[in-house]
Amino acid sequence: MKRIVSGIKPSGTLTLGNYIGAIKRFVELQRSMPDDEFYLFVADLHAITVPQEASLLRQRTKEVAAMYLAAGLDPLRTILFIQSEVKEHAELGYLLQCSTYIGELERMTQFKDKSKKQEAGLSTALFTYPVLMAADIILYDADYVPVGDDQKQHLELTRDIATRFNNRYGDFFVVPEPLIPETGARIMDLQDPEKKMSKSDESDKGYISLFDPLDVIRKKIKSAVTDSIGIVQYDPSSQSGVANLMNIYSVLTDLSFAQIEEKYKGLGYAMFKSDLAELVASEIGALQNRYQHIIQSGELDQILDSGRDIASRVAYKKLEKCKQKIGLGRKRK
Ligand code: ATP
Ligand code: LTN
């Protein structure tokens, strides 16, 4: 039996990028791997690496959990929990910092990008964040970690940290493999297709929120930046905007790029965008309906309580053994 672990930060509204790159994928994996175990958490400790308003953070934490379920995650087969409710994550994060080099963290492109945007008041935790992410994963001996393309480097670091620990203290952590989808691993900003669609972007025109009204979603797709070539074809180097829309189209319909090209041959962008707008609106519309049902049902708290209890038991055992390996505390008899 394999174990699959992943998380999403409640740091802003969930976007179509999160849905396609992570949430939808997770649900598909759950369907295609019926004998395996799924741990999924809301990474609230990661969200506070940048300032968050307390009541909003609490609200978003629940939103993310409910959205996972709305996307079709089976609560009976998923250990769904909130990261900060399992205190072992933070504790293992500290222990792993002792096996991580400053130079490794300085090389993380996400940190470099985020610190460029904000000069003053950068938190230490934003810098050490990938170590906490490593802890989130190896605490559960994850075999696979489904993530978007932007997390690849963090996963490589996780593998290095786990391997280093194993070399130093003897085989102890499973070294995890990333699972990055072939299509949809990096959905780009609709207004600037050179940039990743991001929930923490200042302008909301470039991203589609899973909570946007459906007519706003349609409008955003229709006004997405394209080019003057006018042919629906997959060529990310000269038609990055169209390539991005084709990615979204392909993930939502399962059509290949060649099939999409064929379908819109001689038809131009207006028809293609209009069809895509309907596809996205209908997918998100269904998601929003299920979300409303879940948020109102009161079931969510029970699911999160039970997730927390199961995850805590597993995490406690692993962490105790880890501390023994390192030589912390008194020896267990
Ligand atoms: P931020 O943009 O604020 O850094 P984020 O959305 O990247 O936040 P998370 O919420 O932690 O950060 O991301 C959750 C998951 O969604 C990760 O697996 C990430 O790789 C994936 N993801 C995020 N943005 C995209 C995107 N534009 N395309 C595909 N996958 C994405
Ligand atoms: N760092 C990720 C979110 C995240 C995560 C994890 C993903 C935190 N812990 C563990 C997979 C496994 C992000 O910013 N997208």
Side-chain angles (χ1 to χ4, degrees):
M1 193 177 59
K2 298 288 183 196
R3 201 173 269 175
I4 294 93
V5 175
S6 197
I8 295 194
K9 285 181 294 187
S11 52
T13 188
L14 286 167
T15 69
L16 183 65
N18 297 134
Y19 178 65
I20 290 181
I23 303 178
K24 189 172 190 296
R25 171 94 169 128
F26 206 87
V27 174
E28 283 162 5
L29 283 172
Q30 190 169 58
R31 292 197 182 122
S32 63
M33 300 168 84
D35 301 321
D36 298 314
E37 234 182 354
F38 289 79
Y39 282 66
L40 198 48
F41 59 92
V42 186
D44 55 349
L45 292 176
H46 287 271
I48 59 166
T49 52
V50 295
Q52 302 288 342
E53 208 252 295
S55 60
L56 200 56
L57 175 63
R58 195 160 287 129
Q59 179 196 324
R60 282 179 171 152
T61 299
K62 276 212 163 171
E63 276 176 14
V64 173
M67 201 47 99
Y68 273 133
L69 295 171
L73 211 76
D74 179 355
L76 297 174
R77 289 199 49 224
T78 316
I79 296 151
L80 180 64
F81 62 99
I82 298 171
Q83 183 191 27
S84 65
E85 293 185 359
V86 180
K87 57 185 174 31
E88 284 78 5
H89 286 244
E91 197 172 344
L92 181 61
Y94 172 75
L95 299 181
L96 296 182
Q97 279 185 41
C98 302
S99 295
T100 309
Y101 307 133
I102 290 177
E104 288 178 306
L105 296 179
E106 281 171 341
R107 281 197 291 278
M108 294 294 117
T109 53
Q110 195 174 67
F111 175 73
K112 285 197 264 189
D113 292 348
K114 292 205 171 183
S115 54
K116 242 184 263 157
K117 278 195 217 157
Q118 185 195 334
E119 276 149 28
L122 273 183
S123 74
T124 319
L126 190 68
F127 183 63
T128 56
Y129 162 117
V131 191
L132 179 60
M133 177 163 165
D136 297 337
I137 297 168
I138 64 179
L139 183 57
Y140 298 100
D141 281 324
D143 297 286
Y144 299 116
V145 184
V147 280
D149 187 58
D150 59 327
Q151 297 302 314
K152 206 167 158 182
Q153 198 187 25
H154 292 160
L155 254 298
E156 278 157 16
L157 178 69
T158 301
R159 291 173 57 85
D160 290 345
I161 296 174
T163 307
R164 186 172 305 143
F165 189 99
N166 290 347
N167 290 340
R168 194 174 287 174
Y169 297 107
D171 243 8
F172 183 66
F173 288 117
V174 170
V175 179
E177 300 272 351
L179 284 183
I180 297 173
E182 265 174 46
T183 314
R186 185 177 284 256
I187 301 299
M188 308 308 274
D189 188 289
L190 298 176
Q191 291 302 317
D192 177 1
E194 304 304 321
K195 189 171 103 187
K196 183 189 92 154
M197 181 182 281
S198 168
K199 60 168 89 138
S200 33
D201 220 26
E202 312 83 53
S203 150
D204 70 352
K205 290 209 183 70
Y207 68 76
I208 288 179
S209 159
L210 299 183
F211 297 97
D212 273 343
L214 301 188
D215 53 334
V216 172
I217 294 179
R218 291 190 187 95
K219 220 180 265 163
K220 284 184 181 174
I221 296 269
K222 288 182 185 166
S223 53
V225 166
T226 47
D227 52 71
S228 55
I229 297 174
I231 302 170
V232 179
Q233 58 191 359
Y234 193 74
D235 182 1
S237 58
S238 60
Q239 288 176 262
S240 54
V242 174
N244 185 38
L245 298 180
M246 285 179 79
N247 255 310
I248 301 172
Y249 198 111
S250 170
V251 171
L252 298 185
T253 56
D254 268 341
L255 291 180
S256 68
F257 296 138
Q259 287 169 317
I260 300 170
E261 284 170 3
E262 188 55 34
K263 190 165 175 195
Y264 292 96
K265 213 175 192 168
L267 293 178
Y269 295 154
M271 173 85 97
F272 169 63
K273 279 183 166 179
S274 163
D275 287 354
L276 180 62
E278 285 316 313
L279 277 172
V280 176
S282 123
E283 180 99 6
I284 297 186
L287 205 58
Q288 289 177 350
N289 289 340
R290 290 193 296 267
Y291 173 87
Q292 282 311 330
H293 175 77
I294 291 161
I295 261 302
Q296 281 156 18
S297 75
E299 229 182 303
L300 186 59
D301 276 317
Q302 284 166 23
I303 294 173
L304 290 172
D305 284 349
S306 129
R308 175 201 57 211
D309 294 346
I310 299 171
S312 293
R313 267 197 300 276
V314 175
Y316 175 80
K317 275 197 202 143
K318 187 76 186 174
L319 185 70
E320 279 307 302
K321 281 192 202 148
C322 178
K323 285 161 77 175
Q324 288 282 308
K325 283 256 177 209
I326 298 175
L328 293 167
R330 282 169 292 165
K331 191 160 174 61
R332 289 234 164 167
K333 300 216 175 76

